[in-house]
């Protein structure tokens, strides 16, 4: 078995040092410098003795130091001790050479080699140390020689010695360069391997999240939709309370799932913000109204204060802004037992300040810095008392920063908190088109021109969708596969198709493409996608196939009604 080129060096290096790739390379270099410097001094000493019959101190003292220093790494098992020894021995050689031969300028060019070695082996601070020592040594010696305090050289430097010194210097610098470039190449290879591993891990995480999202949202759709229908039906008060508890608990579970998915997408940089006109006042108003009932149940007054100069329509991502407001207002209501929560909108030098202020429990100053750390809350008792994942504020801060702002917090323990952020929202030049349905959120729909076709392979989802549509006054039909969906669209009058994204055989996008390929008005049948994954790639795939919009499961009665009103063919009564 052939020996490695570095095997003879590794025999002088402790196993503890060899185990660390970073230290191993530098330890080998230190030991190699010990050997090269010793050989150089021996050859130079022999050449000097042959030329003049004299042995110089500048050869003997550093050589002794080098030979002793070569064993330091093995004895101490500390790289820095051996490295300092080789640097000190090298500097001693330079000093004695300068004193004995007078060649200070030539000899001290070797200090550049020592400096390079110090920086590479021990780091920048060691390099500065070598530079300072070199200057503090060379300047006084140069002044002393010019003043005649140092005698002229005893002997002249021979051409052979000069050649040996230059060759030795060139060899050492070449070794430094070789080690440096080899290590950088290996580092680049390790970084590339780590990048590929990270990309593979990120892809695996995305697949896992998409799968878990689908697997959790599918049964959640049945739970929430069924509870939603139950609580709206004719029930005894106790039964209605139980249905409300099921619905509220399901929403809380869904909120946790959404937080985890949102945070994962934000970490991966997969969340793109929209830039479209939206009503700022409606966005804030709807956020407040959604949480008003929760505040009233606690006896907390929820106020909204929109300054007179605040623009009504702005350009930005209204959905993400609403998500941030719901989180901040929801937290304020959660942590306020009495008093009020005040939401304000205030123009500020061409920007908009949004603030949520409460009279709640407040936050201690030392705990403020933990608020925006993922999976963290002010303290453990907060989770025990109020629950939550500790992701809401981290997600909100990510989103606000992406929109050009930063959430600031002012709080006094026991007196309340104020969360605020300023966004560069430009006033919209055109009024945005509203896509929300007017009228009650659970009342009967205008008469549709045909049936609503539900396409879903999950029997629970089909049953729930059918019940919800019947509650809205729709005539329905359900099928469990894409082939039957295409047949139904061809043979019956269909006002709207609710198409599940993931099905065996023909999936939702493939079925949609087949319907769009049909001739005549049938090929233009409105199709709304239903997906349990809620990832941007899934939505884009559905829309590319020809779906007018995509609704994420679990679907509430209100969301279903609004989607049907927006997209279904309706019969117009003159």
């Amino acid at each position: 078995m052939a020996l490695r080129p570095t095997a003879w060096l590794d025999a002088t290096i402790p196993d503890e040092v060899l185990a660390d790739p970073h230290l191993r390379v530098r330890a080998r270099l230190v030991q190699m410098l010990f050997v090269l410097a010793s050989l150089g001094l021996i050859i130079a000493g022999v050449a000097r003795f042959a030329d003049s019959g004299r042995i110089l101190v500048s050869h003997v003292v550093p050589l002794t130091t080098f030979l002793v220093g070569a064993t330091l790494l093995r004895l101490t098992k500390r790289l820095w001790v051996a490295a300092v020894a080789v640097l000190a021995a090298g500097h001693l050689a330079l000093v004695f050479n300068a004193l004995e031969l007078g060649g200070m300028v030539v000899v001290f060019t070797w200090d550049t080699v020592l400096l390079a070695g110090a920086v590479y082996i021990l780091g920048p601070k060691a390099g500065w140390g070598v530079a300072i020592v070199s200057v503090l040594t060379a300047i006084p010696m140069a002044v002393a020689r010019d003043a005649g305090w140092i005698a002229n050289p005893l002997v002249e430097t021979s051409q052979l010695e000069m050649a040996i010194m230059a060759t030795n210097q060139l060899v050492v610098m070449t070794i430094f360069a070789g080690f440096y470039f080899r290590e950088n190449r290996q580092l680049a290879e390790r970084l590339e391997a780590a990048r590929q591993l990270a990309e593979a891990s990120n892809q695996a995480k995305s697949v896992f999240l998409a799968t878990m999202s689908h697997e959790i949202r599918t049964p959640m759709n049945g739970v929430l939709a069924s509870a939603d229908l139950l609580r709206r039906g004719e029930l005894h008060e106790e039964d209605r309370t139980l249905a409300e508890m099921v619905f509220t608990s399901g929403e809380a579970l869904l909120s946790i799932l959404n937080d985890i998915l949102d945070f994962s997408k934000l970490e991966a940089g997969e969340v793109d913000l929209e830039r479209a006109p939206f009503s700022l006042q409606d966005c804030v108003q709807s956020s407040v109204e959604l949480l008003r009932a929760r505040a009233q149940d606690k006896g907390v007054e929820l106020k909204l204060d929109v300054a007179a100069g605040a623009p009504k329509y702005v350009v930005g991502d209204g959905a993400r802004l609403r998500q941030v407001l719901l989180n901040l207002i929801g937290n304020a209501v959660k942590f306020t037992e009495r008093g009020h929560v005040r939401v304000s909108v205030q123009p500020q030098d061409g920007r908009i300040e949004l603030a949520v202020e409460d009279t709640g429990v407040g936050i201690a100053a030392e705990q403020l810095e933990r608020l925006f750390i993922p999976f963290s809350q002010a303290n453990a008792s907060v989770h025990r008392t109020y629950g939550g994942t500790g992701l809401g504020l981290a997600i909100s801060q990510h989103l606000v920063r992406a929109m050009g702002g930063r959430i600031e917090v002012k709080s006094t323990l026991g007196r309340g908190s104020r969360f605020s952020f300023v966004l560069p929202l430009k006033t919209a030049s055109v009024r945005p088109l509203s896509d929300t349905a007017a009228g009650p959120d659970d009342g009967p729909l205008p008469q549709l021109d045909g049936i609503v076709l539900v396409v879903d392979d999950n029997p629970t989802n089909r049953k729930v969708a059918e019940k919800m549509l019947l509650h809205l006054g729709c005539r329905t039909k359900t099928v469990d596969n894409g082939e039957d969906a295409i047949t139904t669209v061809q043979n019956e009058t269909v006002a709207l198709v609710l198409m599940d994204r993931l099905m065996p055989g023909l999936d939702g996008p493939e079925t949609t493409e087949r319907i769009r390929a049909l001739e005549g008005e049938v090929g233009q049948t409105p199709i709304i996608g239903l997906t349990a994954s809620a990832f941007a790639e899934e939505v884009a795939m559905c829309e590319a196939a020809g779906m007018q919009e995509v609704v994420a499961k679990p679907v509430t009665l209100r969301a279903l009604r609004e989607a049907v009103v927006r997209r279904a063919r309706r019969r117009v009564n003159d």
Side-chain angles (χ1 to χ4, degrees):
M1 181 177 177
L3 291 176
R4 291 177 289 107
T6 57
W8 61 278
L9 285 176
D10 292 350
T12 67
I13 300 173
D15 293 338
E16 298 92 320
V17 178
L18 286 173
D20 187 325
H22 179 78
L23 294 179
R24 181 170 63 239
V25 172
R26 284 153 178 76
R28 287 171 176 171
L29 181 58
V30 167
Q31 298 298 69
M32 187 179 295
L33 289 177
F34 275 130
V35 173
L36 289 175
S38 300
L39 289 175
L41 287 172
I42 290 172
I43 294 172
V46 171
R48 172 64 60 187
F49 183 78
D51 185 54
S52 63
R54 297 178 62 89
I55 298 177
L56 301 184
V57 176
S58 58
H59 293 155
V60 176
V61 174
L63 176 60
T64 305
T65 308
F66 274 124
L67 293 175
V68 172
T71 64
L72 285 177
L73 184 60
R74 189 73 186 177
L75 293 174
T76 65
K77 301 180 181 180
R78 294 183 179 181
L79 177 63
W80 70 269
V81 174
V84 169
V86 74
L87 295 173
H91 192 68
L92 280 175
L94 298 179
V95 170
F96 282 115
N97 250 258
L99 289 172
E100 292 182 318
L101 305 177
M104 284 182 292
V105 174
V106 175
V107 172
F108 274 103
T109 58
W110 267 87
D111 268 346
T112 59
V113 177
L114 296 180
L115 192 150
V119 172
Y120 182 71
I121 298 169
L122 295 177
K125 289 183 180 179
W128 280 107
V130 168
I132 291 170
V133 170
S134 177
V135 170
L136 293 179
T137 306
I139 291 178
M141 290 179 65
V143 171
R145 185 165 185 246
D146 289 345
W149 300 339
I150 296 178
N152 289 329
L154 300 175
V155 292
E156 293 295 331
T157 303
S158 69
Q159 293 298 313
L160 176 60
E161 189 172 359
M162 290 288 290
I164 292 173
M165 289 175 61
T167 302
N168 205 7
Q169 188 174 22
L170 180 62
V171 168
V172 173
M173 292 299 285
T174 302
I175 291 171
F176 273 131
F179 270 92
Y180 177 80
F181 286 114
R182 179 187 175 193
E183 186 172 79
N184 272 270
R185 185 181 69 252
Q186 292 174 342
L187 177 61
E189 291 171 353
R190 289 197 297 269
L191 287 174
E192 177 61 21
R195 185 189 66 80
Q196 293 177 1
L197 179 61
E199 287 183 353
S201 299
N202 190 54
Q203 181 64 26
K205 183 179 75 172
S206 297
V207 172
F208 171 77
L209 287 172
T211 303
M212 291 307 299
S213 172
H214 182 273
E215 294 303 316
I216 294 174
R217 284 176 183 273
T218 295
M220 280 298 296
N221 184 61
V223 172
L224 277 177
S226 299
D228 195 16
L229 286 171
L230 277 175
R231 70 190 183 117
R232 295 174 187 273
E234 296 181 2
L235 297 174
H236 294 297
E237 191 60 34
E238 185 177 349
D239 293 336
R240 188 183 306 279
T241 301
L242 291 174
E244 288 284 355
M245 289 175 62
V246 173
F247 185 78
T248 303
S249 300
E251 281 192 319
L253 180 58
L254 184 63
S255 176
I256 293 172
L257 173 65
N258 287 337
D259 278 350
I260 294 172
L261 293 176
D262 268 348
F263 184 72
S264 298
K265 289 188 285 186
L266 284 166
E267 271 197 323
E270 295 175 357
V271 175
D272 295 321
L273 297 179
E274 291 184 356
R275 289 190 55 81
F278 71 95
S279 172
L280 176 62
Q281 296 183 26
D282 287 350
C283 177
V284 179
Q285 179 74 44
S286 64
S287 302
V288 170
E289 292 305 321
L290 277 172
L291 294 163
R292 190 175 296 282
R294 188 186 303 178
Q296 289 174 346
D297 289 343
K298 298 184 66 175
V300 175
E301 184 181 6
L302 184 53
K303 305 176 182 179
L304 174 60
D305 181 12
V306 180
K312 184 165 185 176
Y313 302 113
V314 295
V315 177
D317 194 325
R320 289 300 185 180
L321 177 58
R322 186 169 177 269
Q323 180 180 351
V324 173
L325 289 172
L326 285 173
N327 184 271
L328 295 182
I329 301 169
N331 279 349
V333 172
K334 179 195 295 186
F335 295 111
T336 303
E337 298 301 329
R338 61 181 179 274
H340 69 268
V341 173
R342 179 175 172 269
V343 182
S344 63
V345 181
Q346 183 76 35
Q348 188 182 95
D349 299 328
R351 299 157 72 89
I352 306 295
E353 182 192 52
L354 297 102
V356 178
E357 186 176 354
D358 65 65
T359 57
V361 296
I363 308 163
E366 63 272 14
Q367 295 170 344
L368 288 176
E369 62 184 24
R370 293 171 50 84
L371 288 179
F372 300 104
I373 299 175
F375 302 103
S376 175
Q377 293 175 318
N379 53 57
S381 65
V382 170
H383 177 74
R384 290 194 300 268
T385 304
Y386 298 100
T389 61
L391 281 176
L393 285 176
I395 293 170
S396 297
Q397 186 71 285
H398 268 292
L399 292 173
V400 170
R401 283 180 171 169
M403 289 187 277
R406 185 175 184 273
I407 298 178
E408 303 285 350
V409 187
K410 294 181 180 178
S411 185
T412 303
L413 192 63
R415 298 182 61 182
S417 307
R418 185 179 190 271
F419 288 76
S420 63
F421 54 95
V422 179
L423 295 180
L425 298 174
K426 295 183 179 180
T427 302
S429 57
V430 295
R431 179 174 178 170
L433 295 174
S434 175
D435 64 352
T436 51
D441 63 1
D442 62 347
L445 292 168
Q447 190 172 13
L448 302 182
D449 185 15
I451 63 172
V452 177
L453 176 63
V454 179
V455 188
D456 199 313
D457 64 304
N458 186 289
T460 301
N461 286 345
R462 290 199 305 274
K463 188 67 175 178
V464 167
E466 183 180 24
K467 289 288 187 183
M468 295 175 78
L469 291 167
L470 289 173
H471 182 85
L472 296 175
C474 300
R475 293 181 295 118
T476 67
K477 181 174 181 177
T478 65
V479 297
D480 62 2
N481 62 82
E483 294 288 354
D484 288 349
I486 297 169
T487 302
T488 303
V489 169
Q490 288 176 305
N491 297 324
E492 300 187 37
T493 303
V494 178
L496 175 70
V497 178
L498 297 180
M499 182 77 69
D500 186 32
R501 152 73 182 95
L502 196 61
M503 296 183 293
L506 283 179
D507 63 13
E510 290 172 333
T511 304
T512 300
E513 290 176 349
R514 294 269 295 271
I515 292 174
R516 291 287 175 255
L518 298 175
E519 296 181 356
E521 191 176 353
V522 174
Q524 300 304 314
T525 302
I527 301 176
I528 295 177
L530 300 177
T531 177
S533 80
F535 278 79
E537 309 87 72
E538 298 284 336
V539 174
M541 183 185 301
C542 292
E543 291 177 343
M547 298 181 190
Q548 275 83 0
E549 67 175 285
V550 181
V551 178
K553 295 178 182 178
V555 182
T556 63
L557 191 61
R558 179 175 182 174
L560 181 61
R561 184 186 192 282
E562 292 179 356
V564 172
V565 169
R566 281 196 297 272
R567 302 299 177 185
R569 293 198 185 102
R570 295 184 298 280
R571 189 172 292 166
V572 179
N573 298 317
D574 295 330

